[in-house]
Amino acid sequence: MSTTPQSPAPTGMYTPGDSSAWSQRYADAVMNTFGAPQRVLVRGEGARVWDDEGRQYTDLLAGIAVNCLGHAHPAVVDAVTGQLSTLGHVSNLFTTPAQVELAETLIALVYPGLSAAESRVFLANSGTEANETAFKIARRHGGADRPRVLALENSFHGRTMGALALTHKAAYREPFEPLPGGGEFVPADADTLRAAMGEDVAALIVEPIQGEAGVRPLPEGLLATAREITREAGALLIVDEVQTGMGRCGAWMAHHLLAPGIIPDVVTLAKGLGGGVPIGAVVATGQAAHLLGPGQHGTTFGGNPVCAAAALAVIRTLRDEHLPERAAALGRRWSEQLAALPGVSEVRGSGLLLGVALEEAVGHAAEVRDELMDRGFIVNAPRPDTLRLAPPLILSDADADAFSQVLGEVLTSRTTREARA
Ligand SMILES: *Cc1c(COP(=O)(O)O)cnc(C)c1O
């Protein structure tokens, strides 16, 4: 192996003020799947991050609903460093106390009040991998007699081939066809869903709130109806809580809040679960908990004790600091505040997963996002008319208020600019 003399030394160091150099090196080394990165970030603490030019931002996106305790939370740092310096990885030929404890804890979180003996967990590494596992569980249910798997229009379940087959957006799917078969998309409407359901359906997968679609909660009552319809047809109900779970929406699971009392067969988790370390989980109950048998699924990294320890620390901290309740209270107050701003047409979502819909006069949401970034706030624009807020659940009232103030100023100046033009 030879190295070219001009290749930069892999130091991971940065020189303040050379963002353009990093962006160029990114473009020359990283596959162009995400577009140009908006900033080069070098440090984070709580709800703040700093870029390589020393500018500070309030992070209202949290790595897309991941950093639920903010950046560098001591509970996560201690859990990860403690576990890594004790035992970092063992493969699934072995187990560790952290893996077992996490599985037990997740069963109690997802299915409170149910006998734990009925449920089982599979630990994975990401959201798409959790949904891929759920898809395989669905395939094992009914076999050739149940070839169909229903998903909703505007769904997002991930980018690997199976999860992609259940993701609605044609631009994500079509370049990769043929995808695993049997996936069908149904509008989020009770009557249509009822008509599409049948005894040849293995599963229905739903997000309680469609995050990538612009933070769109399912119509009132639809989740409960989905449970009823799937039970009648003998199909599994898979609830994708990858973005909505782990306290973000104001309860441990969004379905606890939106359809209290329903029991999904399978629940998938990722994003907030590890507080920043990559981990996904599939929690299943009843027959669905036993559909994957020995040799039918696997992963080298899944259940890794470092990630499991991080997840346990996240859960302990969320519980001790009552952060799901905090998400509910702050989210309620904040969404009222945001909905009252000029240029905002509605605020959707629950807890600290909010979609701020903008009036047309404001222009493209991506332009608003860029202005907010210049003023020190990180948000994203999942749709041309919607900003998404998914901050750490530790966000202070003062930070939320400061954002409302700045967003109000940005939107006012954009609408007056528009009116003058
Ligand atoms: C982000 C997301 C996924 C995919 O998770 P990855 O970790 O990016 O693979 C799946 N489902 C939903 C609802 C998501 O928001």
Side-chain angles (χ1 to χ4, degrees):
M1 284 250 303
S2 68
T3 43
T4 44
Q6 71 270 31
S7 72
T11 58
M13 300 286 286
Y14 72 96
T15 319
D18 70 351
S19 265
S20 60
W22 282 114
S23 297
Q24 190 56 52
R25 283 167 64 180
Y26 176 97
D28 290 343
V30 180
M31 279 190 201
N32 184 23
T33 59
F34 300 102
Q38 296 168 52
R39 292 289 191 276
V40 180
L41 300 178
V42 296
R43 191 165 72 83
E45 192 184 320
R48 305 264 185 271
V49 291
W50 287 267
D51 71 15
D52 66 327
E53 296 181 347
R55 287 174 298 204
Q56 177 186 291
Y57 304 86
T58 301
D59 183 3
L60 301 181
L61 193 58
I64 315 190
V66 166
N67 302 305
C68 53
L69 303 181
H71 298 271
H73 193 288
V76 178
V77 173
D78 291 350
V80 167
T81 49
Q83 184 63 51
L84 187 57
S85 52
T86 307
L87 183 65
H89 176 78
V90 300
S91 90
N92 282 297
L93 302 175
F94 304 92
T95 189
T96 58
Q99 180 187 32
V100 175
E101 256 188 70
L102 178 58
E104 291 169 350
T105 305
L106 286 176
I107 288 171
L109 273 191
V110 171
Y111 296 119
L114 224 60
S115 159
E118 303 299 314
S119 308
R120 296 290 186 275
V121 172
F122 182 87
L123 293 173
N125 307 284
S126 67
T128 200
E129 198 191 338
N131 286 331
E132 205 71 28
T133 307
F135 198 159
K136 285 179 77 173
I137 291 173
R139 279 283 197 262
R140 295 292 305 149
H141 178 60
D145 293 338
R146 292 184 181 270
R148 301 168 63 212
V149 178
L150 305 186
L152 297 182
E153 289 183 356
N154 300 312
S155 61
F156 182 88
H157 297 296
R159 303 299 203 119
T160 54
M161 297 299 252
L164 192 56
L166 304 174
T167 288
H168 184 232
K169 197 171 175 175
Y172 289 173
R173 261 184 307 118
E174 285 171 356
F176 304 99
E177 289 173 348
L179 294 168
E184 283 175 44
F185 301 98
V186 183
D189 163 78
D191 291 339
T192 326
L193 201 54
R194 207 178 281 280
M197 187 55 65
E199 302 207 333
D200 55 352
V201 173
L204 165 66
I205 182 167
V206 299
E207 298 156 82
I209 299 174
Q210 296 183 319
E212 303 306 303
V215 190
R216 301 193 163 272
L218 292 185
E220 178 98 31
L222 192 74
L223 203 47
T225 306
R227 177 65 287 185
E228 186 192 310
I229 296 172
T230 44
R231 181 167 290 127
E232 282 165 10
L236 303 178
L237 176 65
I238 303 168
V239 176
D240 179 346
E241 294 262 14
V242 166
Q243 184 159 172
T244 52
M246 304 314 297
R248 171 148 305 275
C249 293
W252 282 106
M253 300 292 135
H255 75 268
H256 294 169
L257 201 66
L258 303 180
I262 73 149
I263 299 168
D265 298 285
V266 180
V267 173
T268 55
L269 298 170
K271 294 203 166 95
L273 175 58
V277 309
I279 181 170
V282 181
V283 189
T285 198
Q287 55 163 341
H290 305 283
L291 286 170
L292 292 179
Q296 290 185 332
H297 197 44
T299 160
T300 298
F301 289 121
N304 166 290
V306 175
C307 298
L312 284 166
V314 165
I315 294 167
R316 212 176 300 121
T317 308
L318 289 171
R319 184 181 280 137
D320 290 351
E321 298 183 7
H322 307 287
L323 292 173
E325 294 85 349
R326 160 137 195 91
L330 176 55
R332 212 173 296 121
R333 195 178 70 84
W334 205 18
S335 55
E336 277 171 25
Q337 205 179 61
L338 294 164
L341 296 178
V344 171
S345 57
E346 66 171 339
V347 178
R348 298 182 297 265
S350 180
L352 290 177
L353 180 60
L354 297 175
V356 181
L358 305 175
E359 285 168 6
E360 215 177 305
V362 162
H364 200 292
E367 294 170 12
V368 178
R369 173 204 64 198
D370 291 347
E371 279 194 46
L372 289 166
M373 180 90 73
D374 291 340
R375 300 205 43 184
F377 291 95
I378 295 176
V379 304
N380 88 330
R383 291 277 146 144
D385 65 350
T386 304
L387 298 174
R388 171 171 41 186
L389 307 178
L393 310 189
I394 51 141
L395 189 76
S396 70
D397 288 1
D399 283 341
D401 292 346
F403 173 74
S404 302
Q405 169 77 28
V406 168
L407 179 63
E409 288 167 18
V410 167
L411 295 181
T412 303
S413 96
R414 291 182 67 85
T415 39
T416 44
R417 236 182 289 163
E418 179 80 9
R420 258 188 273 113

